[in-house]
């Protein structure tokens, strides 16, 4: 049983890496696609909205399907579809075909995203200790792998469509090879593993994890509160993704090469934070990690907004990434554990609304630049982080986790 659980965890890591690699393979080829299709930055921005729309739809479909059919069916199916659809943007030759390709690829990627997160929730429950943030850290590893492969292929003269086809084909093979390690029915298997190991509870270190419970009254409302918090956290992430480098270049006068390190600093800090977050959650609880993380992020982005020096900007972006690191994994975990029988549907609600925030962040900041300077628009992100810190109390309503014997955090 221990070996099968370890295998399920390893397989979950594999699918997170695949998801990050597939999305990264598209991202690094965006300039080539824009040039091939012959569109402007503005048109490309509009087409990228379709990618997000497709992802949102895919999330809403895949979540309930995962609850109904099980992760062993939905996770590899969406991974295969995502791998197969990756080549479509590479084949597009006009705006219309690119629009359709992005819609399909986005839907497949969103489906994989939600189904693997739902499976991760059940793996975490079976383990009896926090492991969700570690899964999300490996998603970033996938993006790095995609960038390295694309760079090597480009230097060797391989065309973008061939590179995307190769990455997609390789991902399909790996996805199919990892199927057997997945839990056949996530909810049932997780419950059996927990019950088999500890009867009523499973203790890991200082953290106790009761067996899956029936959804409590008012749980649906709390899931939507988690979704709103996810929207705010991911709006902040989206703003950092698109505006961090521009902030250094346009506000502080950095060179383009130096400005690129702003996003690199943010992303590296976020990855490091996710690698550490599980241990912090096990010791202090999800609520504390979300609250103090959001507070740290608020301090960081305030430094970015008001600091006049380069070092304050880099420090601020690092604190911002570090503070946001544990937010989304814990919110998704909380949604999945709220009702194990509907983990997929609940994760899809939180991830879907969060994705709306990710897409809206760059647009909201862009609109605000018509009213105030770019750095001053980041005050909005400070307010969102402070609101998230206050709203972290919603995680206290999940009494399953009891670090040091006290109720705090989300039930696992």
């Amino acid at each position: 049983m221990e070996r099968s659980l370890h295998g399920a965890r390893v397989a979950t890591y594999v699918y997170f890496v695949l998801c990050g690699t597939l999305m990264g393979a598209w991202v690094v080829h965006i300039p080539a696609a824009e040039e091939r299709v012959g569109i402007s930055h503005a048109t490309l921005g509009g087409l990228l909205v379709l990618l997000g729309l497709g992802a949102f739809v895919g999330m809403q479909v895949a979540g309930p399907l995962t609850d109904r059919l099980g992760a062993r069916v939905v996770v590899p199916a969406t991974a295969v579809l995502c791998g197969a659809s990756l080549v479509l943007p590479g084949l597009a030759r006009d705006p219309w075909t690119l629009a359709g390709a992005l819609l399909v690829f986005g839907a497949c990627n969103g489906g994989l995203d939600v189904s693997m997160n739902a499976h991760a929730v059940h793996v975490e429950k079976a383990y009896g200790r926090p492991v969700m943030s570690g899964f999300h850290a490996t998603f970033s590893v996938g993006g790095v792998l995609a960038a390295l492969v694309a760079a090597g292929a480009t230097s060797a003269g391989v065309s973008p469509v061939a590179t995307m086809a190769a990455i997609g084909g390789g991902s399909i093979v790996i996805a199919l090879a990892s199927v057997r390690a997945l839990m056949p029915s996530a909810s049932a298997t997780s419950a059996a593993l927990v019950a088999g190991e500890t009867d009523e509870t499973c203790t890991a270190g200082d953290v106790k994890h009761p067996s899956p419970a029936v959804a409590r009254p008012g749980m649906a409302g709390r899931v939507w509160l988690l979704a709103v918090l996810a929207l705010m956290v991911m709006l902040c992430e989206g703003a950092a993704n698109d505006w961090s480098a521009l902030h250094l270049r346009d506000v502080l006068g950095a060179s383009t090469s130096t400005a690129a390190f702003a996003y690199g600093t943010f992303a590296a800090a976020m990855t490091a934070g996710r690698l550490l977050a599980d241990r912090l959650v096990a010791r202090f609880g999800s609520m504390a990690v979300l609250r103090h993380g959001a507070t740290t992020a608020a301090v960081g982005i305030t430094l970015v907004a008001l600091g006049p020096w380069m070092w304050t900007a880099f420090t601020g972006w690092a604190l911002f990434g570090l503070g946001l690191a544990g937010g989304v994994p814990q919110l998704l975990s909380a949604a999945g554990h709220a009702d194990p029988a509907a983990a997929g549907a609940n994760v899809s609600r939180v991830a879907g609304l969060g994705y709306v925030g990710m897409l809206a962040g760059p647009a909201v900041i862009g609109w605000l630049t018509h009213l105030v300077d770019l750095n001053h628009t980041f005050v909005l992100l400070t307010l969102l982080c402070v609101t998230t810190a206050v709203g972290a109390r919603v995680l206290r309503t999940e009494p399953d986790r009891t670090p040091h014997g006290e109720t705090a955090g989300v039930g696992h």
Side-chain angles (χ1 to χ4, degrees):
M1 182 176 296
E2 183 178 348
R3 178 178 297 180
S4 64
L5 180 55
H6 177 72
R9 183 181 183 184
V10 171
T12 308
Y13 280 127
V14 169
Y15 284 104
F16 269 81
V17 172
L18 285 182
C19 190
T21 301
L22 291 167
M23 179 56 72
W26 154 245
V27 169
V28 298
H29 285 107
I30 286 178
E34 183 183 47
E35 182 179 355
R36 182 180 63 254
V37 176
I39 55 178
S40 65
H41 293 333
T43 303
L44 176 64
L47 292 176
L48 291 177
V49 173
L50 293 176
L51 178 72
L53 177 62
F56 181 83
V57 173
M59 289 175 179
Q60 306 315 305
V61 173
L65 279 179
T66 304
D67 295 329
R68 184 178 307 171
L69 303 178
R72 184 174 283 184
V73 174
V74 181
V75 173
T78 53
V80 168
L81 291 173
C82 193
S85 63
L86 174 63
V87 73
L88 297 179
L91 295 172
R93 289 296 181 269
D94 59 68
W96 291 105
T97 54
L98 182 58
L102 292 179
L103 194 63
V104 172
F105 176 65
C108 297
N109 190 268
L112 174 58
D113 194 318
V114 161
S115 60
M116 69 184 188
N117 269 290
H119 184 261
V121 165
H122 294 293
V123 171
E124 182 178 58
K125 180 173 282 292
Y127 256 88
R129 58 186 173 86
V131 295
M132 180 65 83
S133 293
F135 292 137
H136 282 255
T138 58
F139 179 90
S140 301
V141 173
V144 174
L145 289 176
L148 293 175
V149 170
T154 300
S155 64
V158 180
S159 68
V161 65
T163 303
M164 295 169 82
I167 293 175
S171 297
I172 290 174
V173 173
I174 295 172
L176 293 176
S178 305
V179 171
R180 294 186 62 184
L182 294 173
M183 294 179 175
S185 177
S187 181
T189 306
S190 176
L193 284 166
V194 175
E197 289 182 8
T198 59
D199 233 359
E200 293 297 324
T201 61
C202 174
T203 304
D206 294 325
V207 188
K208 293 183 178 180
H209 305 269
S211 57
V214 177
R216 291 177 287 280
M219 188 59 66
R222 285 194 283 272
V223 169
W224 283 113
L225 286 176
L226 293 170
V228 171
L229 291 177
L231 182 147
M232 291 189 288
V233 171
M234 293 184 73
L235 190 152
C236 290
E237 288 187 31
N241 291 344
D242 282 28
W243 292 102
S244 53
L246 289 172
H247 164 256
L248 253 73
R249 190 191 70 183
D250 296 347
V251 176
L252 298 180
S255 66
T256 301
S257 57
T258 300
F261 283 104
Y263 174 70
T265 299
F266 168 81
M270 174 167 282
T271 302
R274 285 180 171 170
L275 291 172
L276 296 172
D278 287 330
R279 294 183 180 182
L280 295 175
V281 171
R283 181 169 179 80
F284 301 108
S286 293
M287 184 181 70
V289 168
L290 180 60
R291 173 172 291 169
H292 295 299
T295 302
T296 300
V299 172
I301 198 62
T302 301
L303 275 177
V304 173
L306 304 180
W309 304 292
M310 202 80 68
W311 69 267
T312 57
F314 281 116
T315 301
W317 286 119
L319 290 174
F320 195 51
L322 189 65
L324 294 178
V328 171
Q330 297 316 310
L331 292 169
L332 291 176
S333 179
H337 291 300
D339 179 5
N346 288 337
V347 167
S348 70
R349 294 187 183 104
V350 175
L353 199 56
Y355 210 88
V356 170
M358 178 74 79
L359 295 172
V364 169
I365 296 299
W367 180 79
L368 288 175
T369 58
H370 294 294
L371 304 177
V372 296
D373 293 335
L374 174 59
N375 57 316
H376 294 152
T377 66
F378 296 148
V379 173
L380 170 65
L381 307 184
T382 300
L383 296 176
L384 292 177
C385 289
V386 170
T387 304
T388 300
V390 174
R393 288 180 60 86
V394 70
L395 296 181
R396 188 183 287 275
T397 62
E398 299 296 324
D400 292 0
R401 173 167 293 151
T402 54
H404 303 297
E406 298 179 0
T407 297
V410 56
H412 287 182

